[in-house]
Amino acid sequence: ELGQAITIALQGLPALEREIVSLKVFGDLSNKDIAKLLGKPENSIGAYLSRALKHVQKRLSLYSPSL
C-alpha cells in the first residue's frame, strides 16, 4: 500500500521534478551531477528537489498522517 502511495505521489509531480527525484534517489547522483546532466544550475536542482519532496510528503500525509 505504501509503495503504491509513493508511486502515485511521484506521478503527481511535474516531469522535471520527477526526473530529478528519480536521479537523486534511484540514481544516487549528487545535485551537481544532476545539474550537469540536465543542463540546469546546481542551486535550481536543490530548489526543484525541495519542492518535489514537500509535494510527495504532503501527498503521503494524506495517505497516513504519521508520515
Side-chain angles (χ1 to χ4, degrees):
E1 291 179 18
L2 179 58
Q4 186 178 18
I6 292 170
T7 299
I8 291 168
L10 290 173
Q11 289 173 345
L13 295 174
L16 179 60
E17 290 180 12
R18 188 170 51 247
E19 183 174 15
I20 290 169
V21 170
S22 294
L23 291 170
K24 184 72 170 183
V25 175
F26 303 114
D28 198 29
L29 296 178
S30 68
N31 288 7
K32 184 176 182 178
D33 290 338
I34 295 169
K36 285 182 184 177
L37 185 65
L38 298 180
K40 302 279 185 194
E42 186 176 348
N43 61 338
S44 294
I45 299 302
Y48 282 120
L49 189 57
S50 177
R51 190 177 320 130
L53 294 177
K54 284 179 186 176
H55 173 83
V56 169
Q57 185 178 24
K58 182 178 178 182
R59 295 287 301 260
L60 290 178
S61 71
L62 297 174
Y63 170 77
S64 174
S66 65
L67 292 177

